[in-house]
Amino acid sequence: MVFFLLVLLAVAAALQAWWMAHALDGVSHLHYAEPSVTEPDAPFLLVTQLTNSGRRFIPFVLISEELPAVLRVPEHGVRLRDGAAGGRRMESTVFLMPRQRWTRRLPVSLPARGRYVLRGATLSGGDFLGIGENTRYFPQTREVIVLPRRWTDSARLDTLGGFLGDVSVSRFIFEDPVLTLGFREYTGREPQKMISWTESARMGRLMVKNYDHTLDLSVSVLMNVEVPEDEDSGEKLEQCFSLARSVCETLERRHIGYRFFTNACALGAPMLWSHISEGMGGGHLTTILEGLGRASYESLGLFSDILGQAARTAEPGRCHILLAPFLTAPLRAGAASLRARTGGAVLILTPDGELRL
């Protein structure tokens, strides 16, 4: 009898050791935001997927996911704890049947503009006796981009509307608006009304009308994030990002093509948007808005260099809209130089005022 018990204990110990070593075999973890680009305070889904690709029943899995500290999470069904580097850990438990994929869609939100990173998760799998755990880390990096809020001060937008109205009248008053110089290949950023179906059929690919630049109304938008050393810049920069968003959306509503230049660093995508070539439409705007969501307070270069680049690529008479957190003397001088080099009107917009040259 004693021998039988010893054998039984040895078998149980061997099974325990094997199960502890293989408790999480065939288990994979994935989590992501849906959608990955969202608005401040707007709910989106935090999707968590666990997959058991093996043939064994797993009676217990503890999921511990690393989340941004400011993420707003409903507390029913999950436990929130302090995490690494000032973040938070969200813990929950599940069991997995053989060949099962478990999915949870949790409504969450983020309060402010920025780039947030969803790190990986630590999974702990229980043994068949319920007295031990096998822990494994699943590294992962997924982004959530929160866009800046729209600008709400009507004074700046009224000034912008008057500027665009004056520019439109001055460019079209003496010109034939149907004159074209030729055709060029469709890039996906032009509105569909510019597509020449006759020329597209002849060339075998989509072609758009290439208007004389004096007839095709367009502007350049330049955003500066350089700030004086003695200024508290955080709030003003956030307002500048909001202003940039509303300017671009206004141009879209008016069907005005535009280029975009900036010296701001886009976190996670540093080469994304220092210069966005001319266009309009959903894809064009989305690229700029995502860059505004990613933008840090760090300047990648001098704004004078951005002004020079804009002047070199501008045709005579092109108008420019300059956005900055503060209306400084160097900014005024740069705007005056840009007007002198291109001959086009320049509008400076800041959170606290505007200046037209």
Side-chain angles (χ1 to χ4, degrees), residues 21 48 96 161 173 194 204 210 292 294 342:
T48 300
L96 294 173
I173 191 167
M194 292 179 61
N210 190 22
L292 290 172
R294 292 176 177 273
T342 64

Side-chain angles (χ1 to χ4, degrees), residues 20 61 77 129 140-142 144 152 173 195 215 223-224 238 261 278-279 303 306 331:
M20 284 293 296
V61 178
L129 295 178
Q140 184 180 308
T141 301
R142 293 294 181 98
V144 186
T152 57
I173 191 167
I195 297 175
L215 307 179
M223 186 181 73
N224 176 35
E238 289 298 332
F261 300 83
E278 186 167 309
F303 192 58
I306 299 296
L331 181 64

Side-chain angles (χ1 to χ4, degrees), residues 162-173 217 254 256 319:
F163 175 79
L164 295 176
D166 293 345
V167 169
S168 178
V169 169
S170 65
R171 289 176 75 88
F172 283 96
I173 191 167
L217 178 59
R254 290 175 173 249
I256 298 174
C319 299

Side-chain angles (χ1 to χ4, degrees), residues 212-229:
D212 188 331
H213 64 261
T214 61
L215 307 179
D216 192 14
L217 178 59
S218 60
V219 301
S220 293
V221 179
L222 291 76
M223 186 181 73
N224 176 35
V225 296
E226 285 182 326
V227 296
E229 292 184 359

Side-chain angles (χ1 to χ4, degrees), residues 255-273:
H255 305 290
I256 298 174
Y258 57 101
R259 301 171 185 168
F260 188 86
F261 300 83
T262 186
N263 56 354
C265 175
L267 297 175
M271 304 306 294
L272 173 68
W273 70 318

Side-chain angles (χ1 to χ4, degrees), residues 74-89:
E75 296 189 11
H76 55 272
V78 299
R79 296 185 299 275
L80 298 175
R81 303 181 185 274
D82 293 335
R88 303 168 81 190
R89 287 188 295 118

